[in-house]
Amino acid sequence: MTDLEQILSEARAKVAAATQAESLRAVDREYLGKEGVVAGLLAAIPTLEPSERRAAGQGANEVKTAVLEAIEERKAALAQEALSAQLSGEGFDPTLPGAVQRRGSLHPITQVTRELEDLFTSMGYSVLDGPEVELDHYNFEALNIPSDHPARDSQDTFFCDPEGHLVMRTHTSPVQVRAMEQLEPPFRAVAPGKVFRQETTDASHEHTFHQMEGLVVGKDISVGHLIGAMKTLLRGIFGRDLDVRLRPGYFPFVEPGFELDARCPFCEKGCSVCKRTTWIELLPCGLVHPNVLRMGGIDPDEWSGFAFGLGLSRLVMLRYGIDDVRHLLGGDLRFLEQF
Ligand code: PHE
């Protein structure tokens, strides 16, 4: 009996001393293996007095169970230790190279669109959407461009049906009319999106590009409100105040209509971006024509408004110094990964 107790306490001491799975396996082999201590005890039973055999067998089995239990317990404890060591940073080598994750990025048009949406919503504008395949009525007619109007020629329209009722919208201005139909004045709204023109493409012309329409309808809206809003827009885009100037511009749906220029944000004395003029053409705009208000269901005697058509593609090119508009929708990852 004392022998067995001694064997067991030695085995437990060895189990406790094992600090690694390998040394634990060695203890397992030593005691429970084919040639192990327990096997030796069992093999010795036939040499004993018959009266002692039963007790010896029981004793050997108890040792076996106890050693096995001790090993399993120690194994679990070691695993736990290894885990907490890992979690606490021990054995963690921060200098090993990690698994490389390729990250995508948002298209520069999307980035600038989101930025401007944030800016305009902070000024109380809603962000609206409109169909890219548009009715002639919204793209032209309700914008004061009747079917015989020469302004239609300048719009290089893609037609979607032989009768010409459906067109790929040539500008985001149709959303002005849809907004007037849907919203109760006073309201402010912007509408970013794709527009399409049947152009011969080159570095500054693309058949598909992006605009952001703006429309504000209220009481006694004046050119002063328009200029104020555009200066805020410039501050949002370029991060500082820039002087603006208005030149007359003709669009059938605004009266008066303007081309708004801003002082070149990139130079003082003239550079390649402003073509040495220190002014950059920013956007066409104007006061909403009374006919357009009327066709949108708004009484021009009671309400007035201003509208602008920001060229998003142009703005993105200015901002990032992109020299060819065709890069924007070219789908070349080497270009897109730079943003
Ligand atoms: N829709 C016009 C265009 O793309 C731009 C514009 C918008 C002009 C709003 C005035 C007011 O040509």
Side-chain angles (χ1 to χ4, degrees), residues 155 171 173 176 197 211 213 251 253-254 284-285 307-309:
Q155 295 262 346
H171 48 181
S173 299
Q176 282 190 37
R197 299 211 186 154
Q211 292 185 336
E213 196 77 9
F251 301 92
F253 36 95
V254 286
C285 54
F308 56 89

PDB file of all heavy atoms in Angstrom, residues 155 171 173 176 197 211 213 251 253-254 284-285 307-309, ligand 1:
ATOM      1  N   GLN A 155     -28.067  70.281 -76.703  1.00  0.00           N
ATOM      2  CA  GLN A 155     -28.068  69.289 -75.627  1.00  0.00           C
ATOM      3  C   GLN A 155     -27.710  67.877 -76.079  1.00  0.00           C
ATOM      4  O   GLN A 155     -27.622  66.984 -75.241  1.00  0.00           O
ATOM      5  CB  GLN A 155     -29.427  69.284 -74.926  1.00  0.00           C
ATOM      6  CG  GLN A 155     -29.724  70.601 -74.207  1.00  0.00           C
ATOM      7  CD  GLN A 155     -29.425  70.545 -72.724  1.00  0.00           C
ATOM      8  OE1 GLN A 155     -29.238  69.483 -72.163  1.00  0.00           O
ATOM      9  NE2 GLN A 155     -29.377  71.695 -72.074  1.00  0.00           N
ATOM     10  N   HIS A 171     -29.336  66.635 -68.314  1.00  0.00           N
ATOM     11  CA  HIS A 171     -28.896  67.432 -67.163  1.00  0.00           C
ATOM     12  C   HIS A 171     -29.718  66.998 -65.948  1.00  0.00           C
ATOM     13  O   HIS A 171     -30.665  66.200 -66.084  1.00  0.00           O
ATOM     14  CB  HIS A 171     -29.026  68.938 -67.431  1.00  0.00           C
ATOM     15  CG  HIS A 171     -30.355  69.382 -67.996  1.00  0.00           C
ATOM     16  ND1 HIS A 171     -30.633  70.688 -68.320  1.00  0.00           N
ATOM     17  CD2 HIS A 171     -31.494  68.689 -68.273  1.00  0.00           C
ATOM     18  CE1 HIS A 171     -31.863  70.780 -68.779  1.00  0.00           C
ATOM     19  NE2 HIS A 171     -32.412  69.593 -68.766  1.00  0.00           N
ATOM     20  N   SER A 173     -31.438  69.072 -64.248  1.00  0.00           N
ATOM     21  CA  SER A 173     -32.516  70.053 -64.067  1.00  0.00           C
ATOM     22  C   SER A 173     -33.934  69.457 -64.035  1.00  0.00           C
ATOM     23  O   SER A 173     -34.800  70.027 -63.366  1.00  0.00           O
ATOM     24  CB  SER A 173     -32.415  71.134 -65.146  1.00  0.00           C
ATOM     25  OG  SER A 173     -31.181  71.811 -65.025  1.00  0.00           O
ATOM     26  N   GLN A 176     -35.542  69.470 -60.796  1.00  0.00           N
ATOM     27  CA  GLN A 176     -36.154  70.729 -60.323  1.00  0.00           C
ATOM     28  C   GLN A 176     -37.672  70.638 -60.415  1.00  0.00           C
ATOM     29  O   GLN A 176     -38.383  70.953 -59.462  1.00  0.00           O
ATOM     30  CB  GLN A 176     -35.712  71.906 -61.203  1.00  0.00           C
ATOM     31  CG  GLN A 176     -34.337  72.443 -60.957  1.00  0.00           C
ATOM     32  CD  GLN A 176     -34.152  73.755 -61.734  1.00  0.00           C
ATOM     33  OE1 GLN A 176     -35.065  74.559 -61.867  1.00  0.00           O
ATOM     34  NE2 GLN A 176     -32.948  73.966 -62.242  1.00  0.00           N
ATOM     35  N   ARG A 197     -24.868  62.803 -72.609  1.00  0.00           N
ATOM     36  CA  ARG A 197     -24.940  63.589 -73.838  1.00  0.00           C
ATOM     37  C   ARG A 197     -24.219  62.852 -74.947  1.00  0.00           C
ATOM     38  O   ARG A 197     -23.171  62.229 -74.715  1.00  0.00           O
ATOM     39  CB  ARG A 197     -24.303  64.957 -73.641  1.00  0.00           C
ATOM     40  CG  ARG A 197     -25.038  65.725 -72.566  1.00  0.00           C
ATOM     41  CD  ARG A 197     -25.038  67.190 -72.752  1.00  0.00           C
ATOM     42  NE  ARG A 197     -25.646  67.781 -71.565  1.00  0.00           N
ATOM     43  CZ  ARG A 197     -25.402  68.998 -71.127  1.00  0.00           C
ATOM     44  NH1 ARG A 197     -24.564  69.770 -71.799  1.00  0.00           N
ATOM     45  NH2 ARG A 197     -25.994  69.451 -70.056  1.00  0.00           N
ATOM     46  N   GLN A 211     -23.591  65.715 -62.436  1.00  0.00           N
ATOM     47  CA  GLN A 211     -23.952  67.079 -62.038  1.00  0.00           C
ATOM     48  C   GLN A 211     -24.615  67.045 -60.668  1.00  0.00           C
ATOM     49  O   GLN A 211     -25.061  65.988 -60.208  1.00  0.00           O
ATOM     50  CB  GLN A 211     -24.974  67.679 -63.017  1.00  0.00           C
ATOM     51  CG  GLN A 211     -24.446  67.963 -64.412  1.00  0.00           C
ATOM     52  CD  GLN A 211     -25.481  68.672 -65.273  1.00  0.00           C
ATOM     53  OE1 GLN A 211     -26.685  68.582 -65.032  1.00  0.00           O
ATOM     54  NE2 GLN A 211     -25.014  69.378 -66.296  1.00  0.00           N
ATOM     55  N   GLU A 213     -27.698  69.300 -59.117  1.00  0.00           N
ATOM     56  CA  GLU A 213     -28.642  70.397 -59.294  1.00  0.00           C
ATOM     57  C   GLU A 213     -28.976  70.991 -57.932  1.00  0.00           C
ATOM     58  O   GLU A 213     -29.026  70.272 -56.938  1.00  0.00           O
ATOM     59  CB  GLU A 213     -29.923  69.823 -59.912  1.00  0.00           C
ATOM     60  CG  GLU A 213     -30.842  70.862 -60.495  1.00  0.00           C
ATOM     61  CD  GLU A 213     -30.334  71.348 -61.851  1.00  0.00           C
ATOM     62  OE1 GLU A 213     -29.381  70.739 -62.369  1.00  0.00           O
ATOM     63  OE2 GLU A 213     -30.900  72.321 -62.374  1.00  0.00           O
ATOM     64  N   PHE A 251     -29.939  80.217 -70.228  1.00  0.00           N
ATOM     65  CA  PHE A 251     -30.595  78.920 -70.084  1.00  0.00           C
ATOM     66  C   PHE A 251     -32.080  79.227 -70.043  1.00  0.00           C
ATOM     67  O   PHE A 251     -32.495  80.114 -69.288  1.00  0.00           O
ATOM     68  CB  PHE A 251     -30.163  78.227 -68.789  1.00  0.00           C
ATOM     69  CG  PHE A 251     -28.681  77.991 -68.721  1.00  0.00           C
ATOM     70  CD1 PHE A 251     -27.842  78.931 -68.137  1.00  0.00           C
ATOM     71  CD2 PHE A 251     -28.118  76.840 -69.260  1.00  0.00           C
ATOM     72  CE1 PHE A 251     -26.465  78.731 -68.099  1.00  0.00           C
ATOM     73  CE2 PHE A 251     -26.755  76.642 -69.223  1.00  0.00           C
ATOM     74  CZ  PHE A 251     -25.918  77.580 -68.648  1.00  0.00           C
ATOM     75  N   PHE A 253     -34.525  78.065 -68.651  1.00  0.00           N
ATOM     76  CA  PHE A 253     -35.296  77.864 -67.405  1.00  0.00           C
ATOM     77  C   PHE A 253     -34.906  78.813 -66.290  1.00  0.00           C
ATOM     78  O   PHE A 253     -35.407  78.690 -65.173  1.00  0.00           O
ATOM     79  CB  PHE A 253     -35.178  76.406 -66.940  1.00  0.00           C
ATOM     80  CG  PHE A 253     -33.826  75.795 -67.194  1.00  0.00           C
ATOM     81  CD1 PHE A 253     -32.853  75.797 -66.200  1.00  0.00           C
ATOM     82  CD2 PHE A 253     -33.528  75.221 -68.425  1.00  0.00           C
ATOM     83  CE1 PHE A 253     -31.615  75.234 -66.442  1.00  0.00           C
ATOM     84  CE2 PHE A 253     -32.277  74.663 -68.673  1.00  0.00           C
ATOM     85  CZ  PHE A 253     -31.322  74.665 -67.688  1.00  0.00           C
ATOM     86  N   VAL A 254     -33.995  79.731 -66.555  1.00  0.00           N
ATOM     87  CA  VAL A 254     -33.673  80.750 -65.544  1.00  0.00           C
ATOM     88  C   VAL A 254     -33.717  82.126 -66.194  1.00  0.00           C
ATOM     89  O   VAL A 254     -33.424  82.286 -67.372  1.00  0.00           O
ATOM     90  CB  VAL A 254     -32.285  80.511 -64.895  1.00  0.00           C
ATOM     91  CG1 VAL A 254     -32.335  79.347 -63.918  1.00  0.00           C
ATOM     92  CG2 VAL A 254     -31.216  80.287 -65.948  1.00  0.00           C
ATOM     93  N   PRO A 284     -23.202  77.279 -63.890  1.00  0.00           N
ATOM     94  CA  PRO A 284     -24.299  78.086 -64.389  1.00  0.00           C
ATOM     95  C   PRO A 284     -25.414  78.132 -63.338  1.00  0.00           C
ATOM     96  O   PRO A 284     -25.597  77.172 -62.584  1.00  0.00           O
ATOM     97  CB  PRO A 284     -24.769  77.320 -65.634  1.00  0.00           C
ATOM     98  CG  PRO A 284     -24.324  75.914 -65.426  1.00  0.00           C
ATOM     99  CD  PRO A 284     -23.185  75.919 -64.459  1.00  0.00           C
ATOM    100  N   CYS A 285     -26.116  79.255 -63.293  1.00  0.00           N
ATOM    101  CA  CYS A 285     -27.161  79.405 -62.281  1.00  0.00           C
ATOM    102  C   CYS A 285     -28.107  80.535 -62.682  1.00  0.00           C
ATOM    103  O   CYS A 285     -27.910  81.173 -63.727  1.00  0.00           O
ATOM    104  CB  CYS A 285     -26.538  79.710 -60.920  1.00  0.00           C
ATOM    105  SG  CYS A 285     -25.417  81.138 -60.947  1.00  0.00           S
ATOM    106  N   ALA A 307     -31.702  78.560 -58.943  1.00  0.00           N
ATOM    107  CA  ALA A 307     -31.260  77.204 -59.288  1.00  0.00           C
ATOM    108  C   ALA A 307     -29.818  77.274 -59.748  1.00  0.00           C
ATOM    109  O   ALA A 307     -29.362  78.301 -60.252  1.00  0.00           O
ATOM    110  CB  ALA A 307     -32.137  76.626 -60.392  1.00  0.00           C
ATOM    111  N   PHE A 308     -29.096  76.180 -59.535  1.00  0.00           N
ATOM    112  CA  PHE A 308     -27.730  76.111 -60.048  1.00  0.00           C
ATOM    113  C   PHE A 308     -27.435  74.686 -60.510  1.00  0.00           C
ATOM    114  O   PHE A 308     -28.087  73.727 -60.064  1.00  0.00           O
ATOM    115  CB  PHE A 308     -26.691  76.562 -59.011  1.00  0.00           C
ATOM    116  CG  PHE A 308     -26.744  75.805 -57.707  1.00  0.00           C
ATOM    117  CD1 PHE A 308     -26.001  74.640 -57.534  1.00  0.00           C
ATOM    118  CD2 PHE A 308     -27.509  76.268 -56.656  1.00  0.00           C
ATOM    119  CE1 PHE A 308     -26.033  73.951 -56.327  1.00  0.00           C
ATOM    120  CE2 PHE A 308     -27.551  75.570 -55.443  1.00  0.00           C
ATOM    121  CZ  PHE A 308     -26.817  74.427 -55.276  1.00  0.00           C
ATOM    122  N   GLY A 309     -26.492  74.570 -61.407  1.00  0.00           N
ATOM    123  CA  GLY A 309     -26.124  73.256 -61.934  1.00  0.00           C
ATOM    124  C   GLY A 309     -24.626  73.048 -61.799  1.00  0.00           C
ATOM    125  O   GLY A 309     -23.846  73.475 -62.637  1.00  0.00           O
TER     126      GLY A 309
HETATM  127  N1  PHE B   1     -28.946  72.291 -66.558  1.00  0.00           N
HETATM  128  C1  PHE B   1     -27.985  73.204 -67.134  1.00  0.00           C
HETATM  129  C2  PHE B   1     -27.009  72.393 -67.982  1.00  0.00           C
HETATM  130  O1  PHE B   1     -26.589  71.324 -67.601  1.00  0.00           O
HETATM  131  C3  PHE B   1     -27.207  73.947 -66.057  1.00  0.00           C
HETATM  132  C4  PHE B   1     -28.035  74.860 -65.218  1.00  0.00           C
HETATM  133  C5  PHE B   1     -28.644  74.382 -64.058  1.00  0.00           C
HETATM  134  C6  PHE B   1     -28.159  76.186 -65.547  1.00  0.00           C
HETATM  135  C7  PHE B   1     -29.403  75.243 -63.281  1.00  0.00           C
HETATM  136  C8  PHE B   1     -28.881  77.047 -64.754  1.00  0.00           C
HETATM  137  C9  PHE B   1     -29.492  76.569 -63.631  1.00  0.00           C
HETATM  138  O2  PHE B   1     -26.639  72.813 -69.031  1.00  0.00           O
END
